[in-house]
Amino acid sequence: MTTLLICLPLAAALIVWVLPLNPVSAGALALLAALAEVGIWIQLLVRYDFAQGGLQFSDQHTWFSDLNVSYHVGVYGFSVWLIGLTVVVMAATITYGFWAGRERIRAYMGLMLFLMGAIVGVFAAQDLLLFYAFFEAMLIPLYVLVGVWGGPGRMGATLKFVLYTMAGSLLMLASIVVYGLSEHTFDLVQIGQSSSQWIFLGFVAAFAIKAPLFPLHGWLPDAYRESSPEVAAVLSGVVSKAAAYGFLRIAVTKFPGPAHDFRAPILALAAIGLIYGSLLAFRAPDLRGVIAYSSLAQMGLIIMGVFAVNDLSLDGSVLQMVNHGLVSATLFLLAGMVERRALTGELGRLGGMARGRPALATMLLTTGVIALAVPLSSAFAGEFLILAGVFQRGWGWAVAGAVAIVLAAMYVLRVVSAVLHREVGSAVSDSALDLRPAELGVTVPMIACLLALSIWPAAITQHSFRGDHGAADVAGQFK
Amino acid sequence: MIALLGPEISWYLAVAGFLFATGSLGVLLRRNPLIVLLSLEIMLNGANLALIGFSRNLGDGGGQIFALAVMAVAASEVVVGLGLVVALNRKRVTLDVDRLNTLRG
Amino acid sequence: MLVASAGNVVVWMVWIVAAFACLGSGVAVVSFSSPFYSALALIGNLGSLAVLYLLLNAEFVAAAQVLVYAGAVMVMFLFVIAYIGPRSESPWMGGPGWQAVGAVLAAGALLVEIVVVISLKASGQLAHSEHVDATFGTPAYIGRLFLTDHLLAFEITSIVLLVAAVGGVILGAHSRRSPEEVPSL
Amino acid sequence: MIPKPHVDWFALAPVDSLLVAAGVALLCAVLVPRSWRKGVAAGVCGLGYAAAFGFGVALYVKSADGHGVVADAFNRDRLTALATMIVAGTGLLVTGVAYRERAREDHAAEYYALLAASGAGMAFFVGANNLMTLFLALEWFSISLYILCAIDRDRLGGLEAALKYLVIGGFGSAVLLFGSALVYGATGKLDFPGIAAAGAQDNALLVFGLAMLIAGLAFKASAAPFHMWTPDVYEGAPTPVTAFMAAATKTAALVVTLRVLVTAFPANAHLWTVAIAVIAVCSLVVGNLAALVQRGVKRMLAYSSISQAGFMLIGVSANSPLGGRALLYYLIPYTAMSVGAFAVVAARERELGVPVTFENMAGFGWERPLLGISMWAFLLGFAGFPLTGGFVGKFYVFAAAYEHGWTWLVIVGVLATLVSLYYYLGLVRAMFMRRTEDLQLAPIGGSPPRETLLQTAVVTCLVVTVGSFFAVQPLIDLCKHAVNSLPWGV
């Protein structure tokens, strides 16, 4: 079933590329595949035995035996949620791309489907080399998606993005070689824990760049601004979670010693990123900039949660990964819809869009309210759990987190008011329509997911690690 | 049974090494392709002398065979090299260009 | 060496003359500015090498050297030089960058080589040389080796020559097309 | 009566089939009417390569225990067979790529004859078992390649490239020859096992000879610092010939390097492993840095081939069966990627009629999707991205270096890969992300010449490049048995 989940989008990508379909049927086929993927995921969710936990639906075939590398995939409780995030966000973005009528749609849809398969693969891989392969494979479609369908500054943005992420990834490759050969296996389930700080830092480099962790976020603003809104949604919503997943699945789990030694510096960087990102988000002149920097801040928070390594913080991190994934993807898509109408994302030239556009206003407002973590929202649950967990590692970290949450409230309110309220901006014409049904079709399900999580956050927090106390078991490697 | 008369093999080797080094300097420093080809011959001859010297020293015919084969190879290289020089020259004359430099060095 | 026989003295003298002729002509080949003189010097070089081969009991090789090399190959060389004239500079050959590096390396190789030889001489590793019987190096001896131990080498040598002959034909043949027809690639 | 050595014709069958093909193709030049000549000669050449490939497979199957044949001058073992298969496969693809070459027609038959002859030389070279056959086979295929570079005598670039190749190649083989002479003098043997058995350790004569042997082979593998001919020659030679040189010559030279060093010089491993590692690092540095500033695609690929040689030499330097496997495995996607990449360049060149640069590749990816996507895959493969065999190859090479205890070499390799991304992805960017209409450089529109053979070759290369990522196990088994025919003194 896991294999099906990985291969379905890849196969669909091949079909879309190879068959000479017309644009509409190519898009429809891609959409169908994405929806089928969501269906399979729901099957997976229903059939996953949360009471038992551990690795399920695993599938293992030898890839090459002399170095003990195998195709080994499977899902843990928290992977189920992350895969769910992936399929939902990807389905929404594919729909949006189809509706927005991207040119060269066959290539575009193929790449999106390919990306979907690769991301699901990252969350399901239980072999280091396979994990690396999927982790890199994500980059191939992203490179083209940003570089071909991006804005005017796309060339520089892609170059920066690729060089940054590959620098980290290749260090990780070196680490994987050393780690796997010294342990005589690359299987993530079997491989023993290591106390080597160098290997640990190699992995951290890759994940810290991809997440990104302050100060390695140099690629982020350009990539998020220059790519098309749905690609930015995938980047910030899903791809960054692959890095957080890597921290959780490999860095913390397999390297308890070094993770302990480096806890303070990594928590400090994450906290700096959190506050710095929030400040930048507050000052950013455009819609996408705000979301991009808030994404940096939120990733800081999630990494804090992962590295605090205790029950509360880990549960909170997984919840927050899903939350933030949905929130930032929705926001980027909404930003795209706003830009489509106003032809700009500059906050100074927007304003007053709420008048006569109730759907847009409702969507943006709901997402914004969840993003600023008002009590009872799912983001509130996630952030609260993380902060509570981090508090156990030192009250200073929690204070930093709390400050950032206050900042978050400020920048979210600023965006909402700048777009929806105040007087009508220079770029907003009266003829700009409200959200079309297709746009609603994209955003409503995502917001519905967020609301569902707000009502029942325990769906994730109680079902990520085994039973109720799996988080402390991280050292026990999810078994 | 014949013993080696005259200088022992190290002296031959010294001559061989000197020839080889001379030839390689010629290949690297000269610009006239004909002289470069001649210098290549010097290099090969240096190697041949070493081969034959060792062959005599070891009392093994392999070195001599090798040297003969090298001669044939040297002749082949010369044929092709001279063919190229002639073709290039003819080409240059037809194009009537003094200094053609289509390849960056 | 103290009790050098008369024959040995003669061999030594011949060796000294041949070796110096060989070295001198080698330097001459490389340093003459006209390829014509260089080629003539190479003939001298090949001749003196043949003498050294004879001293090393390589009769057949020496004969081949004179006949094939100094005879046939050099005649071809001289023909080409006469055909295209002495001036044939190739500005692209040997850039200023690696030219100097290469020359230095080659000089270094020479130096190392001589050091190696001297050190070996000191260690006496090559001092001993085998006694060989009278057939060593004769055409019969060479021929037998060529047909037994080195059969394959013999065959390949002929293939190499054949390939080169084909190449000579291709490169030497006159162009049958006018320059206008030439595609730019 | 002279006792003739037994000749194992089966062992020589790949070489012989190619030689026969070369001979028949040469006869075509006189016997077949002009209009048919090219097709017949190309067909004969392709058949020869196909036969050589088939015989290579048969030899692989039937040579479980490697041994010398024809008075121990040639090795009949699985390493030879596998290398023959790679060379023959390359030759077959190159024949397809060459078929529509826009060149003069009056030497078409000779072109294919020489292509087959050089392949035969390489097939022999990889099996050479003594220094004499090694040198002769090296000259055999080198001379064929010199002529192939200059086959179109109307192209000044080709002639100059050929002369440069001849001079520097001749220099390299002279160095190799002198090295062989010194090794012969130090050990008294010409055959590799004999040299090893003589067991001379760090005798100055032997060490010097070994160094010169390595240098001579590095010239052929175009590893830095013996690479200076590569960019000019790759640029000047006809593109199919360049593809053949980049793929097959490098394969042959690297396999022979592995064989010579492991078979003949096990006692000096502590020296040559370091030497090879240094050459590998030089190649990585020089190849990658120089490739960064190239604008011509052929020159960029030439420098990239230097850096790829560096990666593969890391496998040799590990001096272990794992390193050997890494090298042989790497060669399979590498040859496919090089032939494919140069084939795409050839296609573009024929379309435009001018040398291919980054600028005039603009928009190529969208105009010719098949070739564009293939080129994309080849470039990603060179850069070591997953879904191509290049990734697994790099992984193996790094694993071999680490197993040898050289973590620093892994780091160097990783950094080199990072640098290489810039130019590989730069070409991808040129092909897909520039808008052709903005640049107005390439003539757009019009149908390109239909080149079924070239496209088939490119697709085959694509299949090998991607397929080798998935089918690692069978390929590694193939390589394992091949490498195990070397005497690893463990």
Side-chain angles (χ1 to χ4, degrees):
Chain A
M1 192 156 190
T2 321
T3 304
L4 179 66
L5 211 53
I6 297 170
C7 291
L8 175 81
L10 297 180
L14 269 184
I15 292 171
V16 172
W17 277 331
V18 172
L19 291 188
L21 301 168
N22 62 20
V24 174
S25 38
L29 185 64
L31 183 56
L32 199 67
L35 291 177
E37 182 85 349
V38 175
I40 298 173
W41 173 73
I42 292 173
Q43 278 290 309
L44 181 83
L45 180 66
V46 170
R47 287 168 49 188
Y48 185 91
D49 185 353
F50 285 100
Q52 192 199 339
L55 189 67
Q56 297 182 19
F57 301 109
S58 68
D59 196 359
Q60 186 163 18
H61 303 282
T62 304
W63 189 6
F64 38 107
S65 58
D66 60 338
L67 298 178
N68 286 322
V69 177
S70 60
Y71 168 81
H72 188 190
V73 293
V75 289
Y76 288 102
F78 61 96
S79 337
V80 172
W81 300 113
L82 291 172
I83 293 174
L85 168 71
T86 310
V87 295
V88 169
V89 170
M90 288 304 300
T93 49
I94 285 176
T95 315
Y96 184 76
F98 180 29
W99 178 79
R102 299 284 165 226
E103 49 184 33
R104 294 179 177 132
I105 189 117
R106 273 169 59 208
Y108 177 87
M109 285 301 169
L111 288 166
M112 290 297 270
L113 287 169
F114 185 92
L115 179 60
M116 185 178 194
I119 300 174
V120 172
V122 169
F123 290 136
Q126 300 302 330
D127 183 281
L128 272 174
L129 203 66
L130 189 68
F131 174 80
Y132 181 80
F134 281 125
F135 200 76
E136 289 289 272
M138 286 194 311
L139 198 58
I140 302 173
L142 278 175
Y143 176 69
V144 184
L145 283 169
V146 180
V148 176
W149 286 272
R154 61 190 191 281
M155 299 283 216
T158 43
L159 190 65
K160 225 190 232 181
F161 172 57
V162 167
L163 288 187
Y164 259 98
T165 46
M166 281 303 288
S169 300
L170 286 166
L171 288 176
M172 174 162 81
L173 179 62
S175 282
I176 288 177
V177 168
V178 173
Y179 183 32
L181 284 180
S182 56
E183 298 283 333
H184 303 294
T185 180
F186 286 84
D187 193 294
L188 261 175
V189 178
Q190 288 169 10
I191 200 164
Q193 294 181 332
S194 165
S195 57
S196 163
Q197 298 193 338
W198 288 110
I199 303 180
F200 173 74
L201 287 178
F203 281 107
V204 166
F207 302 140
I209 290 176
K210 200 88 165 188
L213 181 66
F214 179 87
L216 301 171
H217 60 279
W219 59 271
L220 175 134
D222 284 352
Y224 285 13
R225 275 203 188 102
E226 295 300 335
S227 43
S228 53
E230 62 274 24
V231 174
V234 176
L235 265 176
S236 81
V238 188
V239 174
S240 61
K241 303 307 171 292
Y245 171 84
F247 276 125
L248 176 61
R249 180 72 187 93
I250 298 172
V252 174
T253 325
K254 298 295 175 187
F255 301 87
H260 179 265
D261 298 342
F262 285 96
R263 173 175 296 144
I266 291 178
L267 283 179
L269 288 178
I272 294 173
L274 177 55
I275 294 178
Y276 178 72
S278 304
L279 287 174
L280 286 179
F282 189 68
R283 292 200 45 212
D286 58 336
L287 204 45
R288 293 239 208 138
V290 175
I291 313 171
Y293 286 117
S294 82
S295 194
L296 170 66
Q298 287 289 318
M299 287 315 293
L301 188 66
I302 292 170
I303 293 169
M304 279 175 89
V306 171
F307 270 87
V309 198
N310 53 41
D311 268 0
L312 294 171
S313 75
L314 286 177
D315 281 339
S317 302
V318 176
L319 176 59
Q320 193 57 16
M321 281 189 223
V322 177
N323 266 330
H324 174 249
L326 289 169
V327 167
S328 72
T330 316
L331 282 176
F332 267 115
L333 290 177
L334 284 169
M337 295 166 193
V338 169
E339 284 170 9
R340 214 178 152 76
R341 285 161 175 78
L343 300 177
T344 178
E346 279 177 54
L347 294 176
R349 300 175 58 200
L350 294 171
M353 290 188 85
R355 210 162 306 143
R357 301 181 191 87
L360 176 65
T362 316
M363 291 299 140
L364 191 56
L365 208 57
T366 319
T367 322
V369 163
I370 295 173
L372 62 76
V374 294
L376 297 182
S377 75
S378 57
F380 175 76
E383 290 179 13
F384 180 79
L385 280 173
I386 291 177
L387 290 183
V390 171
F391 184 74
Q392 294 179 0
R393 297 289 173 193
W395 58 269
W397 307 121
V399 169
V403 169
I405 289 173
V406 174
L407 285 171
M410 288 165 68
Y411 65 71
V412 170
L413 289 176
R414 171 170 169 259
V415 164
V416 169
S417 77
V419 175
L420 297 179
H421 309 302
R422 300 191 314 202
E423 62 271 37
V424 176
S426 59
V428 181
S429 71
D430 289 340
S431 59
L433 296 170
D434 196 3
L435 292 189
R436 313 303 303 152
E439 290 171 313
L440 281 173
V442 173
T443 42
V444 166
M446 303 238 280
I447 292 175
C449 291
L450 280 170
L451 290 175
L453 279 180
S454 304
I455 293 165
W456 191 35
I460 290 180
T461 54
Q462 304 285 313
H463 297 102
S464 287
F465 303 96
R466 185 185 56 180
D468 198 11
H469 51 82
D473 243 355
V474 153
Q477 310 197 10
F478 320 115
K479 279 187 219 166
Chain B
M1 299 296 269
I2 304 167
L4 179 64
L5 290 176
E8 60 191 39
I9 212 71
S10 311
W11 293 101
Y12 287 97
L13 201 55
V15 174
F18 189 85
L19 269 186
F20 185 81
T22 315
S24 58
L25 273 176
V27 173
L28 294 171
L29 293 178
R30 294 305 302 263
R31 292 195 152 190
N32 186 324
L34 289 168
I35 293 190
V36 169
L37 287 176
L38 289 167
S39 302
L40 263 182
E41 298 301 305
I42 299 266
M43 287 178 82
L44 292 176
N45 275 311
N48 259 0
L49 181 58
L51 276 174
I52 290 171
F54 284 129
S55 165
R56 173 65 187 80
N57 202 41
L58 299 160
D60 172 53
Q64 293 197 8
I65 302 288
F66 205 160
L68 282 169
V70 170
M71 273 185 211
V73 164
S76 315
E77 271 188 6
V78 165
V79 168
V80 176
L82 288 179
L84 285 171
V85 171
V86 169
L88 259 176
N89 199 63
R90 199 184 275 159
K91 184 80 192 152
R92 291 232 170 94
V93 169
T94 52
L95 289 179
D96 196 25
V97 176
D98 287 327
R99 283 171 60 89
L100 256 185
N101 192 359
T102 53
L103 292 179
R104 283 169 278 158
Chain C
M1 229 194 275
L2 291 173
V3 279
S5 64
N8 207 358
V9 171
V10 173
V11 170
W12 260 105
M13 286 169 64
V14 172
W15 186 85
I16 289 172
V17 172
F20 276 92
C22 177
L23 296 180
S25 57
V27 173
V29 170
V30 171
S31 47
F32 276 141
S33 64
S34 158
F36 188 73
Y37 293 121
S38 280
L40 288 181
L42 184 62
I43 294 181
N45 184 271
L46 296 173
S48 49
L49 271 174
V51 174
L52 291 181
Y53 293 168
L54 273 179
L55 296 183
L56 288 167
N57 302 64
E59 303 155 22
F60 183 72
V61 183
Q65 172 98 349
V66 172
L67 288 175
V68 177
Y69 227 143
V73 175
M74 292 317 297
V75 167
M76 191 166 64
F77 244 115
L78 290 173
F79 260 126
V80 169
I81 294 168
Y83 174 63
I84 66 174
R87 294 209 177 276
S88 175
E89 285 286 299
S90 289
W92 49 270
M93 222 177 232
W98 63 270
Q99 180 182 353
V101 175
V104 170
L105 278 182
L110 172 75
L111 206 68
V112 171
E113 177 60 29
I114 288 171
V115 169
V116 166
V117 169
I118 289 171
S119 68
L120 283 176
K121 205 171 153 49
S123 72
Q125 193 186 345
L126 290 172
H128 170 75
S129 73
E130 298 283 335
H131 288 247
V132 294
D133 55 27
T135 59
F136 187 77
T138 56
Y141 177 82
I142 299 289
R144 181 175 292 269
L145 275 182
F146 256 140
L147 291 181
T148 55
D149 286 358
H150 298 292
L151 177 66
L152 215 44
F154 183 53
E155 303 295 342
I156 306 178
T157 310
S158 59
I159 294 170
V160 172
L161 282 169
L162 193 66
V163 169
V166 172
V169 171
I170 293 176
L171 296 170
H174 263 287
S175 175
R176 268 168 284 175
R177 205 161 27 163
S178 59
E180 293 85 67
E181 287 179 60
V182 177
S184 56
L185 263 174
Chain D
M1 188 63 196
I2 299 171
K4 280 192 216 127
H6 171 66
V7 177
D8 182 351
W9 288 107
F10 184 45
L12 293 174
V15 182
D16 287 341
S17 55
L18 281 169
L19 270 180
V20 169
V24 174
L26 208 52
L27 285 179
C28 291
V30 278
L31 296 182
V32 176
R34 178 173 286 255
S35 52
W36 287 46
R37 202 176 285 160
K38 185 174 177 180
V40 174
V44 166
C45 177
L47 271 181
Y49 272 116
F53 188 86
F55 282 124
V57 173
L59 269 174
Y60 186 91
V61 174
K62 302 217 168 180
S63 309
D65 54 332
H67 57 275
V69 295
V70 199
D72 273 353
F74 187 78
N75 258 308
R76 174 181 169 173
D77 61 13
R78 290 189 157 173
L79 182 61
T80 310
L82 181 61
T84 305
M85 283 191 260
I86 299 178
V87 168
T90 310
L92 194 57
L93 293 172
V94 168
T95 312
V97 174
Y99 188 64
R100 289 250 176 241
E101 179 79 354
R102 238 200 250 168
R104 56 186 302 125
E105 300 278 318
D106 56 348
H107 286 312
E110 288 92 334
Y111 187 109
Y112 292 102
L114 285 167
L115 198 57
S118 63
M122 288 175 200
F124 194 93
F125 185 55
V126 294
N129 197 32
N130 66 41
L131 292 171
M132 201 188 306
T133 40
L134 175 85
F135 175 77
L136 288 170
L138 180 94
E139 286 295 325
W140 171 359
F141 76 74
S142 301
I143 289 179
S144 314
L145 288 175
Y146 303 151
I147 307 167
L148 273 176
C149 282
I151 191 106
D152 190 354
R153 284 177 297 115
D154 293 326
R155 286 180 52 225
L156 193 59
L159 289 175
E160 289 194 347
L163 189 56
K164 186 157 204 166
Y165 193 18
L166 180 126
V167 166
I168 299 180
F171 184 80
S173 47
V175 170
L176 180 101
L177 177 65
F178 203 82
S180 306
L182 293 181
V183 170
Y184 172 61
T187 61
K189 297 287 178 195
L190 281 172
D191 61 315
F192 304 151
I195 293 168
Q201 288 219 334
D202 294 345
N203 160 354
L205 209 53
L206 185 76
V207 170
F208 204 63
L210 174 60
M212 293 179 93
L213 267 181
I214 292 176
L217 288 170
F219 268 105
K220 284 294 154 198
S222 67
F226 309 102
H227 66 284
M228 44 313 207
W229 57 275
T230 316
D232 286 346
V233 173
Y234 279 22
E235 189 185 25
T239 309
V241 177
T242 310
F244 193 62
M245 287 195 286
T249 310
K250 203 155 286 203
T251 303
L254 289 169
V255 168
V256 166
T257 307
L258 179 75
R259 184 197 287 284
V260 170
L261 292 178
V262 172
T263 315
F265 301 98
N268 311 83
H270 58 289
L271 293 176
W272 63 254
T273 47
V274 176
I276 295 286
V278 168
I279 293 178
V281 171
C282 285
S283 307
L284 290 174
V285 171
V286 170
N288 281 311
L289 293 185
L292 285 179
V293 295
Q294 302 303 324
R295 299 313 301 162
V297 175
K298 272 171 98 177
R299 281 185 87 85
M300 184 277 275
L301 287 174
Y303 280 111
S304 118
S305 88
I306 295 170
S307 89
Q308 296 291 325
F311 282 114
M312 289 186 265
L313 282 172
I314 292 179
V316 178
S317 76
N319 184 27
S320 64
L322 178 61
R325 285 204 294 276
L327 168 70
L328 289 179
Y329 176 84
Y330 202 126
L331 280 171
I332 295 168
Y334 168 74
T335 45
M337 294 182 301
S338 325
V339 173
F342 280 110
V344 173
V345 171
R348 184 65 166 176
E349 214 172 56
R350 286 170 209 175
E351 197 179 322
L352 300 181
V354 292
V356 178
T357 63
F358 275 60
E359 278 73 31
N360 60 28
M361 281 299 268
F364 180 71
W366 301 112
E367 288 169 32
R368 314 266 176 268
L370 176 69
L371 297 181
I373 288 174
S374 306
M375 187 70 173
W376 183 36
F378 301 141
L379 292 170
L380 290 182
F382 281 133
F385 270 89
L387 295 184
T388 65
F391 166 67
V392 182
K394 282 213 168 93
F395 174 71
Y396 260 100
V397 162
F398 292 158
Y402 172 72
E403 196 202 47
H404 189 74
W406 280 347
T407 313
W408 62 272
L409 206 50
V410 179
I411 303 293
V412 172
V414 160
L415 292 178
T417 310
L418 184 63
V419 175
S420 73
L421 283 173
Y422 183 84
Y423 55 88
Y424 289 132
L425 292 181
L427 187 53
V428 173
R429 200 166 51 163
M431 286 194 303
F432 287 95
M433 299 178 193
R434 297 247 184 100
R435 302 229 157 86
T436 327
E437 51 271 30
D438 300 346
L439 289 158
Q440 298 284 331
L441 282 167
I444 320 158
S447 60
R450 285 193 64 80
E451 302 195 45
T452 323
L453 279 174
L454 185 139
Q455 284 177 348
T456 315
V458 169
V459 170
T460 313
C461 292
L462 181 65
V463 168
V464 173
T465 306
V466 176
S468 56
F469 175 78
F470 293 100
V472 180
Q473 185 67 49
L475 290 177
I476 276 292
D477 284 341
L478 208 65
C479 299
K480 186 158 80 186
H481 295 309
V483 165
N484 285 347
S485 53
L486 292 178
W488 297 100
V490 182

